[in-house]
Each structure stands twice: as C-alpha cells, then as structure tokens.
Amino acid sequence: MDSSDDEKDGVYGNHIPKELNHNLPSNGMKFVDEVLNGQSERCLENFRMDKKVFYKLCDILQSKGLLRHTNRIKIEEQLAIFMFIVGHNLRTRAVQELFRYSGETISRHFNNVLNAIMAISLDFFQPPGSDVPPEISLDPRLYPYFKDCVGAVDGIHIPVMVGVDEQGPFRNKSGLLSQNVLAACSFDLKFHYVLAGWEGSASDLRVLNSALTRRNKLQVPEGKYYLVDNKYANMPGFIAPYQAVSYHTNQTTTGYHPQDAKELFNQRHSLLRNATDRIFGALKERFPILLSAPPYPLQTQVKLVVAACALHNYIRREKPDDWLFRMYEQDTLLPMAESLLPLEGEQPIVHVDTRALEFGFQTEQLELASHFRDSIATEMWDDYISGLAS
C-alpha cells in the first residue's frame, strides 16, 4: 500500500468514527496504552480482540522474528495500527489523525503486519478431524445421517478495487466489482480452507475446481464430505441439496411439514449448512474492511481476505466466547415443525449433475454420489415416519 493510494480515496473511511473519537490522546502510543490498560471490552471494540489475545499475538509475531520493536514504534502499536484499520475500515489519512505518524509510516507498518500475519496464516487453518462434530452428534435430526460430514463450503463476493483496464473480469452478475472467495468451514465457525483472488465473474464451480486442483488444495478426508448449496454440483466429497425442491427453512410457514424424503433432506441440510452464513457474518462484523473495496493494490486486497480469516480462526481458538462470536452463535438449531403426518413420498430418482463432469469425475462416480445422497434422505425419511407413527 503506497501513501499515494490514499489520495485516490473517497470520503468513506477518512475520519475516525464518532463512537471511537471520544477523548482521544495526543499520540498513538498513549492511545494504545490506554486501550490495553483499560477494560477488555475497549480492546475488543478498538482492536477487535480481547487484551490477552492481542498480547499473545504480539508475542507470536515477535518470537517468530516477523515483527520487531523500532526506535519509535513498539510491536503493540504496529499491530494496533493494522487492527484499527481493518477493524474499522479506515484509510491511512484517518489513522494519521490518531497515531500522529506520516502516511508512509502508517502504510509501511500496515504492510509489515499484514505480511507477518500471512507468514503464519497456515498455522491457524486446521483440517477437519476424524470425530463427528458435536453440532451433528448431539442433534437427533442430524445424527446419524450426516455423521460423515466435516463442514460446509460456500463462496462469498468481497468488493474489490482494480484499474479500469482490469474491471471486466472482476464484474460479477450484479454488475459490481468483486473477488470470488471460496471458504470451507467447520460447524463451530472455524475456517478449514480459504481461496481468495478469483475474479467476480468466475463461477463458483470454477473456483471450487481450482481449489481442488491447485498445489495448496482443499483436502477432503477419505470417506468424508462437505455440504454445499445448489451453486455447486452433487459429487464425491460434496453433497448438495436436491434441485427444484424447497430448501431454506424460511421458505416454509409455521406448521409446515415436509412432503417427501427430498424436502426433509433439504430442510435439515439447510439447517446444518447455515454455518457458512454465520461465519461470513462474524468475519465481516469483526473486519468491516471486507465490506467495501479498499484502495490498495489487488495483491494486498487478496491478502487482506486470507489474513482476516486467519485472524478469525486465531481469535476463535483463543477466545471463542467473545461478544462478536456470540452474535453469531447458534446454541440450538432453529426448530422445525414436524408434527403433522406428511403425504406419502415417492421413491427417489437418481439424478446425475452433469456440471461435475468438468471436475474429471466419471459418470459412475456421480451416480454413486447421487445414490449416497438418496440413501441418507431415505434413512432420514423412514425414521421420520416411524417417529410420527409412534
């Protein structure tokens, strides 16, 4: 990020938010000291994490030789500058008002911290384990049917700023400039894998194919699978809902009951897969810089997405119950009205999603994936009918 980037900036993000502008000290170090010596809630509000979590991150970055104190700026202040920018979507000009440093100094330390976090980012992304997630094992609507499910995969469009000559590929279906980001997450709101930087015009299937074939690829444990929505194909390692069947629970009214195995499957699939909505919500709430296109080079914008997801995982690991996470917790899944006797369901018809052929799967493999989904839906439906009968 060059200081000249700030000159291209508009009005948004040029000034300290009013709610953070009360009794600001005369310089940045005093401000950081006041925050870190105050209530933990103030640190969370300003630097987007608990005090102990903030100090531990400073120690990690220092011990690995990624950041060091300078004559003028300690590591704590360097990290504070970065977190203040990404946590409040501020530009260099606004942060200069608070920390009393030149734009060049702010930009340099912002980039230093960003690169330091990127250097250790892989340490914060953990692959899924072998145990059944408690979000599944403790819910009789989901267990044992989804016992081999390790998480959910979805895409999100993050606003991006690129030069006029580059805008075409980044313009998405809504006509906005974005990067198409793919993420695989667990049901306890941690990212397993993130792939950022794809142009907004790229299809979600194309981005997933890239994630599965690149050197640092998305790994699906043998015998396990992720849930995906209808933007993706039903194929080995990924179970999608049935097409042309009611899916989201908000499409149903109170007292509604599923009509057949496919509707019941889609209903419960939706309840479990909404982890992606909640994790993206928590991510954007903590790092609102992801809500608008920051005036940085494209490579920096891509790094910001990965760094934000890595920090999300780090904070989730160290302080899983902070108030930002509590906003998106779901201690109990939304109740479903399953009390009325449904209509008799038809036998599932095997449907092969030909979109998955571009992934290199054979038709036989896709048929097996379809049969596997049908077997889950059938078992779920049989138990559901038995439960009503009893």
Side-chain angles (χ1 to χ4, degrees):
M1 178 178 68
D2 300 324
S3 57
S4 59
D5 289 325
D6 301 306
E7 302 306 318
K8 307 171 188 174
D9 191 21
V11 174
Y12 187 76
N14 282 336
H15 302 286
I16 304 296
K18 290 182 179 179
E19 63 271 19
L20 301 174
N21 205 16
H22 300 303
N23 301 317
L24 287 178
S26 58
N27 64 60
M29 196 61 237
K30 286 185 178 180
F31 167 65
V32 174
D33 286 342
E34 287 183 7
V35 171
L36 295 179
N37 290 325
Q39 295 294 322
S40 193
E41 289 76 12
R42 190 179 179 192
C43 186
L44 181 58
E45 178 185 13
N46 285 279
F47 305 148
R48 318 311 285 167
M49 65 183 82
D50 180 88
K51 283 196 299 184
K52 292 181 179 179
V53 179
F54 182 91
Y55 276 124
K56 184 173 181 177
L57 183 56
C58 289
D59 291 341
I60 292 173
L61 295 172
Q62 183 179 24
S63 65
K64 292 182 177 292
L66 298 170
L67 291 180
R68 61 181 180 82
H69 300 300
T70 68
N71 292 333
R72 298 177 60 199
I73 307 181
K74 293 182 178 180
I75 290 175
E76 290 80 5
E77 191 175 2
Q78 296 171 38
L79 181 59
I81 289 171
F82 176 83
M83 296 304 301
F84 206 72
I85 291 174
V86 300
H88 301 285
N89 194 19
L90 297 176
R91 305 296 180 254
T92 300
R93 185 156 46 231
V95 182
Q96 282 181 259
E97 297 177 17
L98 174 59
F99 288 88
R100 300 296 192 268
Y101 295 123
S102 68
E104 187 279 331
T105 298
I106 297 292
S107 297
R108 175 159 38 86
H109 287 291
F110 174 89
N111 278 303
N112 287 345
V113 175
L114 176 59
N115 290 329
I117 293 171
M118 288 297 295
I120 59 171
S121 61
L122 289 181
D123 295 342
F124 300 138
F125 292 100
Q126 299 298 323
S130 57
D131 295 336
V132 179
E135 294 82 7
I136 293 175
S137 63
L138 299 178
D139 193 323
R141 294 172 298 179
L142 306 175
Y143 185 85
Y145 321 110
F146 294 110
K147 60 182 174 60
D148 294 320
C149 183
V150 294
V153 167
D154 203 357
I156 183 174
H157 284 264
I158 302 294
V160 73
M161 181 177 291
V162 293
V164 176
D165 295 340
E166 303 175 85
Q167 289 183 0
F170 285 93
R171 200 168 297 281
N172 59 34
K173 293 180 180 179
S174 301
L176 303 175
L177 299 177
S178 67
Q179 54 173 309
N180 193 347
V181 178
L182 177 139
C185 71
S186 64
F187 299 117
D188 64 345
L189 304 189
K190 292 178 183 175
F191 290 103
H192 288 159
Y193 179 91
V194 173
L195 175 59
W198 268 90
E199 299 92 336
S201 64
S203 70
D204 295 288
L205 269 175
R206 185 181 179 192
V207 179
L208 177 57
N209 191 25
S210 173
L212 293 173
T213 55
R214 64 199 297 114
R215 183 173 58 85
N216 179 26
K217 63 182 180 179
L218 170 62
Q219 301 277 1
V220 182
E222 185 174 357
K224 304 291 184 179
Y225 59 85
Y226 282 98
L227 298 184
V228 294
D229 66 12
N230 270 326
K231 298 192 301 291
Y232 304 94
N234 189 78
M235 57 189 184
F238 302 91
I239 292 189
Y242 288 100
Q243 296 185 21
V245 177
S246 178
Y247 182 59
H248 294 291
T249 54
N250 59 13
Q251 292 178 314
T252 64
T253 58
T254 302
Y256 175 87
H257 53 271
Q259 300 295 299
D260 54 31
K262 291 182 179 181
E263 280 198 9
L264 180 63
F265 176 88
N266 276 13
Q267 199 174 55
R268 296 184 180 180
H269 183 288
S270 174
L271 285 172
L272 191 54
R273 199 197 61 80
N274 80 347
T276 59
D277 296 333
R278 294 187 291 123
I279 197 170
F280 287 144
L283 182 72
K284 292 183 288 186
E285 184 73 30
R286 193 179 300 273
F287 303 113
I289 197 170
L290 302 179
L291 295 173
S292 65
Y296 306 145
L298 178 59
Q299 185 180 12
T300 300
Q301 296 178 66
V302 174
K303 286 181 180 179
L304 276 172
V305 175
V306 178
C309 294
L311 287 172
H312 168 103
N313 278 3
Y314 165 72
I315 299 168
R316 184 68 169 167
R317 183 187 74 189
E318 299 295 330
K319 185 70 173 176
D321 61 343
D322 78 17
W323 68 267
L324 281 173
F325 284 131
R326 288 201 302 271
M327 291 172 59
Y328 294 91
E329 285 292 359
Q330 189 167 310
D331 294 330
T332 56
L333 293 173
L334 295 176
M336 293 187 296
E338 297 181 345
S339 57
L340 302 179
L341 187 64
L343 303 176
E344 183 178 355
E346 299 178 355
Q347 290 298 318
I349 298 176
V350 175
H351 171 75
V352 174
D353 194 334
T354 56
R355 295 178 299 170
L357 292 174
E358 64 184 78
F359 285 74
F361 293 118
Q362 302 297 317
T363 302
E364 293 78 8
Q365 293 176 291
L366 300 182
E367 288 178 350
L368 285 174
S370 185
H371 279 298
F372 179 60
R373 179 176 61 180
D374 290 342
S375 68
I376 295 175
T378 300
E379 181 185 8
M380 188 184 294
W381 179 253
D382 290 345
D383 290 347
Y384 171 65
I385 294 296
S386 298
L388 291 179
S390 62

